[in-house]
Amino acid sequence: FALTKQDRGPEDAEMAVGPEQMQPLSSDAVAISFKIRGVTLEPLLQAKPLMKATKKALRAALAQECGQGIGTEHVAVSLSEGSLIVDANIWPPPSISCAFVKDRLKSSSSLLDTIQTWVSEVPNLDKVLTGPVRVSKSSVSVSIIRSGDETDISHEATTSDLHSSPSLSKQVQEVPMQLTDVRRILQQEQQNVMIKCKELQDC
């Protein structure tokens, strides 16, 4: 379900998600990055609860802007220096395409205000602000991260090569299956990482 500002505040925006509740995630993700002025990284690094609350607010703001079907459990956030650089990945559930989420974020007229409002209302953040919380419009970047297309390597060998080398033919036939297995393992690991992030509430 979609998270709305009216339903939740920054202090309780985090949704409790355990392994049994975690929905399958898209193998692709929507990446968004932006710069927030008025906030620096150092005070957040020195106060873990403040860091956690700021990330929680950012996840809530982005989930709200993504619309119905996207919750905080689909969003992971990382912060870096410069006033404050925010990098977030959004893994939609299978029922929602990355293209839809990307277009919604890029066309949103309320994105900056939503982020600024959620972050400004983080408890005790006002004590470490260097100025008004403002998202730099020119710094906003939204893109889709593709998991990568599987290449059918069997097509790279010529028919004569396959006939002349039975062992090569067998190896080529095995490669697509190996790639499929690798992709499946990577997707499982992605699920595990996201679940662990929510358990730690510090992604």
Side-chain angles (χ1 to χ4, degrees), residues 156-166 168-169:
E156 296 181 4
T158 65
T159 303
S160 58
D161 289 336
L162 297 180
H163 284 309
S164 62
S165 177
L168 175 60
S169 177

Side-chain angles (χ1 to χ4, degrees), residues 38-39 44 50 54 119-131 133:
V39 188
L44 302 183
L50 196 56
T54 302
V119 173
S120 296
E121 294 183 6
V122 171
N124 298 317
L125 185 64
D126 58 318
K127 298 177 181 178
V128 298
L129 294 180
T130 60
V133 174

Side-chain angles (χ1 to χ4, degrees), residues 61-76:
L62 292 173
Q64 178 179 326
E65 285 295 315
C66 287
Q68 187 172 1
I70 302 294
T72 55
E73 73 271 22
H74 299 117
V75 185

Side-chain angles (χ1 to χ4, degrees), residues 91-156:
W91 286 274
S95 59
I96 300 176
S97 71
C98 285
F100 172 82
V101 174
K102 175 188 173 185
D103 290 344
R104 186 175 177 92
L105 289 173
K106 292 190 73 171
S107 63
S108 173
S109 61
S110 59
L111 177 62
L112 304 189
D113 286 339
T114 299
I115 295 171
Q116 289 165 181
T117 299
W118 277 92
V119 173
S120 296
E121 294 183 6
V122 171
N124 298 317
L125 185 64
D126 58 318
K127 298 177 181 178
V128 298
L129 294 180
T130 60
V133 174
R134 292 287 183 267
V135 177
S136 170
K137 185 176 181 179
S138 62
S139 71
V140 178
S141 172
V142 185
S143 61
I144 296 178
I145 302 174
R146 302 292 183 185
S147 59
D149 296 329
E150 294 178 8
T151 303
D152 188 353
I153 298 178
S154 61
H155 291 168
E156 296 181 4

Side-chain angles (χ1 to χ4, degrees), residues 80-93:
S80 55
E81 188 62 76
S83 292
L84 190 67
I85 303 297
V86 179
D87 293 292
N89 287 346
I90 302 158
W91 286 274

